[in-house]
Each structure stands twice: as C-alpha cells, then as structure tokens.
Amino acid sequence: MALIVQKFGGTSVKDTGRIKNVASRVGKYRLRGDQVVTVVSAMGGVTDNLIKLASEINPLPSEREMDMLLATGEQTTIALLAMALHSLDLPAVSLTGAQAGIVTDGVHSKAKIRNITPKQVHTMLDEGNVVIVAGFQGQTSDGRITTLGRGGSDLTAIALASALKADLCQIYTDVDGVYTADPRIVLDARKLDEISYDEMLEMAATGAKVMQSRSVEFAKKFNVKFEVRSSLNNNPGTIVTEETDSMEAVVIRGVALDKNQAKVTLVGVPDQPGMAARVFSSLAKAAINIDMIVQNISHGTATPATDLSFTVDKSDLAKAQKVIGELQADVKFAEAIADEDIAKVSVVGVGMRTHSGVAAKVFEMLGENGINIEMISTSEIKISVVVEGAKGEEATRALHTAFLGEET
C-alpha cells in the first residue's frame, strides 16, 4: 500500500464531467489499496470570474478580502469531488487548506507556507477516506485565510507530499508532461521523459505554464520527486528529479515564453549611491517580485542620471505604478514609463554549464529573424531576453529550431 498525493488543475476539473473523470481516476488508486490525498484547484475559469467580479466592485480591492473571495473557488471543487467519489461508493472527505494544517505567513495573495501539521489528514486516511484538500490556500497562525499566489495548488501538493512523506506525487494537468516548448506555439515540441529540478525551476520561472516555480523550488529543497502527467489519458508523464550526469549531454532542454510580464522604466534617476536600493526596497515591501533589471546612462539630462528598467508580472503592474508614484518626490526621477507589450523568451539547460557559445547563437538567431532585444538576463543554465510582445512566439519558434530542431 502506497501513500499517493495527486494534484488536479483547473482544466482537469473545469466541469462536472471532468470532476467525475478525476473521481474515477482517483478511485482506481484507492481500490487497489493505496491511500490517496487529492489536491484540487478551482474549476477552470472560476478564479478569473471571481477576479472580474471584484474589479467591477473595486479596481484595487483589499488583498485580505480577495483571499477570502478566491479561496471559495477551491472549496467548491473539493466538495464536488467528494460527492463524485461518494457516488462511486468510495469514502471521501474534503478539507480546506486550514483544516489540512497548512499554516502560512501573513502576506495576502502571495503567502508562503511556514509549516504543515497534517494530523487531521492522517486521521482521515487511517479511517479509509480519500482526503481531498483545497489547493492554493492556507491560514495564518492568527486565523486569517491566505492564498499562495498563481499556481499555488502545485505548491500545496508538493508541500503535502513532503509533510506526509508520500511515496509518490503526481501533478495532473491538461498536457502529457513537460515539453521542449509550448506545443501550441511550437508544433514540433517534444515531451521530455525527465528533467532536473534546476531546469524545471528555470522553465517555470521563465513562463512554462506546466508548473509554478515555488513548487519546484520546494520539491528540490525537500527532495520530493514528482511526475507531471495528463489527467485526460494514461500516457507516462515527465519525471522531475535530481540532476544526473547524462543530463549535461543535452545543451538546451527547452525554450519558454512568458507573455505575462510588463516593463517599467524610470527615466532620469539621479546617478547617486542608494537610489536603486530605495526603489527596489519599496517594491519588496509591497511584495512585488522583480525579474529582470537593466540600468544605463540616461541621455538628455542636465545632471548625471541613469535610466532604470525592470520587469514585473502584469498582475502587479498597477501596484508597482502606485509604489513608484509615491517614490517620485523622494527619488526625483523624471518620469515612469510602463510597457505591457513585451514577451520574455528563455532557453534553459544544465548543459550550458559545460558548453560555450549558447548566448552568441541566441543573439545570432534573433538577429537573423529581425527580432530586436530590449533586455537580457542570464544564469548558469538560462539565457532570457525581452522582445516586443508581437515577436514573442516567432522568437520562441526560431530558438527552438536552432537548438532543438530535428537537424540539431
């Protein structure tokens, strides 16, 4: 008998038919004698609809109340899935994140898990139940409901698998696994049998929608091996695990596209020590994550100044603009320019550590295709570029052909 944690995303539970399909899949594991903990997201489209409702009431709603609102999406799904299992004569019980023992910090909308005490989950499992847990949510030590941010159900599943010392963790989605690129954009993208934590982390952080980056980070930290697979068929998925020597033989593992970024440029920031620290400290206090940063000398100003550009998630842009607006009198920059029409394209692979010339090939291919680069960021196993939004998919296809095409 194995203890299995399974996570099903919004597309896997988008309607009652798919919820019944999930119940049938979960039931097969239970009937063969396994203990099963199932983590589910809100039904497809529900979270977006809740956000839309909130924006109609207030364009900048309280984050505390948004967490209260959004948590209802997952609570709907867990109850419906429990009912579906009951209809198959299988004992099942649904638990909110708080009831499952998930304790978070107090940062609303982007809470971090502090600890998990899954005593009630163990009790319910020992009584023979399939335990269904609401993903994406937890509770602070003083009883406030919090959400874990975009893709937080993945994190719930990985964290529960670690806390429960599960034998297996499966992340079910609407694709067969992790691909070399988004198959909807790159038609010849190939499914990977395995990928390292570091590669998966970079892919997730640079736009691959299969997994949320914090989840992979958590899995790496606590050595939670997991499989990404489809809820719509029985095909083998992609195993995410520790890096092996053979992985370095593949220079590039995948190409990721992120259209969910916005660029903010502060023009004419005084060229004085500590100015960047003031800007980014204020953004950090507002829980706004910064991705890429570029600073260069500003031309056309009477006194020494720089232009400071950085990228944020589009969902954080309004909040970032508010913070920046409040800083203008203190930092004394000339103006702030926001650009939502950008795309970030990244090539990722642990083989980059031991192979040279990758950056040159990236720039060469984009140049040959007439694609201008606005920003560049690198790590040991990743090169990311920001390009015009309309050129994002073209850039992704060009780089995939260059590094992962059949001829390579």
Side-chain angles (χ1 to χ4, degrees):
M1 180 176 69
L3 172 53
I4 301 171
V5 174
Q6 300 177 325
K7 178 262 176 177
F8 293 89
T11 53
S12 300
V13 292
K14 73 174 185 178
D15 54 39
T16 54
R18 290 204 175 177
I19 290 174
K20 290 178 180 178
N21 177 64
V22 168
S24 177
R25 184 180 291 269
V26 171
K28 289 176 182 176
Y29 283 88
R30 183 66 193 88
L31 288 171
R32 76 182 191 185
D34 295 323
Q35 291 185 316
V36 183
V37 175
T38 305
V39 175
V40 291
S41 300
M43 297 169 69
V46 167
T47 299
D48 288 340
N49 287 336
L50 291 172
I51 292 171
K52 182 174 180 291
L53 286 173
S55 67
E56 290 174 1
I57 298 292
N58 185 339
L60 283 173
S62 155
E63 290 183 339
R64 180 192 186 282
E65 299 310 323
M66 280 300 295
D67 279 357
M68 288 290 287
L69 177 66
L70 297 182
T72 64
E74 280 70 23
Q75 288 172 217
T76 299
T77 315
I78 59 174
L80 290 173
L81 181 56
M83 294 173 191
L85 285 161
H86 295 162
S87 72
L88 299 175
D89 294 325
L90 289 168
V93 63
S94 62
L95 299 175
T96 65
Q99 290 172 326
I102 299 172
V103 180
T104 71
D105 63 17
V107 180
H108 285 288
S109 81
K110 290 181 181 177
K112 290 184 172 64
I113 295 175
R114 281 188 169 166
N115 61 72
I116 300 179
T117 51
K119 181 179 179 181
Q120 191 167 359
V121 176
H122 278 299
T123 299
M124 297 295 185
L125 287 172
D126 291 342
E127 291 174 357
N129 292 289
V130 172
V131 179
I132 308 161
V133 178
F136 179 65
Q137 61 179 251
Q139 181 175 276
T140 63
S141 56
D142 60 355
R144 286 175 288 127
I145 291 175
T146 54
T147 62
L148 306 178
R150 188 177 60 184
S153 293
D154 292 340
L155 180 57
T156 303
I158 297 291
L160 275 172
S162 175
L164 293 166
K165 295 180 172 53
D167 299 293
L168 179 64
C169 182
Q170 299 172 319
I171 306 294
Y172 285 94
T173 180
D174 58 345
V175 295
D176 286 344
V178 181
Y179 280 72
T180 52
D182 187 335
R184 292 165 293 190
I185 296 171
V186 180
L187 297 181
D188 61 345
R190 302 184 297 279
K191 184 174 73 71
L192 300 167
D193 293 329
E194 66 174 9
I195 188 170
S196 71
Y197 290 127
D198 285 340
E199 288 171 324
M200 189 68 244
L201 183 57
E202 292 285 16
M203 291 282 282
T206 54
K209 297 179 176 64
V210 177
M211 283 290 292
Q212 188 242 24
S213 56
R214 278 197 299 164
S215 313
V216 185
E217 208 169 63
F218 195 102
K220 179 185 177 183
K221 181 178 180 181
F222 294 98
N223 197 25
V224 179
K225 182 178 176 180
F226 63 94
E227 180 184 18
V228 179
R229 60 185 302 173
S230 174
S231 64
L232 307 177
N233 58 50
N234 293 311
N235 298 337
T238 301
I239 299 294
V240 184
T241 185
E242 291 181 301
E243 181 180 329
T244 61
D245 291 340
S246 63
M247 289 181 179
E248 289 193 5
V250 180
V251 181
I252 298 300
R253 186 73 61 176
V255 182
L257 172 64
D258 188 355
K259 296 180 179 180
N260 193 45
Q261 295 272 306
K263 181 173 72 171
V264 178
T265 300
L266 306 187
V267 179
V269 178
D271 190 12
Q272 300 169 7
M275 286 299 177
R278 291 187 199 178
V279 172
F280 294 116
S281 293
S282 297
L283 291 166
K285 287 176 184 175
I288 297 170
N289 290 325
I290 305 301
D291 185 14
M292 303 171 73
I293 302 172
V294 170
Q295 180 172 301
N296 49 41
I297 296 173
S298 182
H299 298 284
T301 56
T303 56
T306 63
D307 290 344
L308 184 62
S309 297
F310 57 89
T311 59
V312 298
D313 283 347
K314 281 184 180 177
S315 59
D316 282 337
L317 179 58
K319 190 162 59 167
Q321 287 175 304
K322 183 175 183 291
V323 172
I324 293 301
E326 293 169 352
L327 277 173
Q328 188 160 17
D330 180 35
V331 177
K332 295 182 174 58
F333 55 86
E335 64 175 323
I337 302 170
D339 183 6
E340 295 185 70
D341 185 26
I342 65 168
K344 181 175 71 172
V345 185
S346 308
V347 294
V348 176
V350 294
M352 289 171 62
R353 293 192 184 113
T354 54
H355 291 77
S356 60
V358 176
K361 191 171 182 179
V362 168
F363 304 148
E364 179 185 343
M365 288 305 302
L366 294 177
E368 287 179 4
N369 285 272
I371 299 170
N372 189 48
I373 298 171
E374 298 181 18
M375 302 175 78
I376 302 168
S377 174
T378 65
S379 76
E380 192 178 22
I381 66 167
K382 174 210 70 182
I383 297 171
S384 293
V385 295
V386 166
V387 301
E388 180 188 346
K391 297 283 190 178
E393 293 188 5
E394 182 184 349
T396 302
R397 286 189 285 268
L399 293 175
H400 190 275
T401 298
F403 289 102
L404 296 160
E406 292 299 332
E407 71 277 9
T408 62

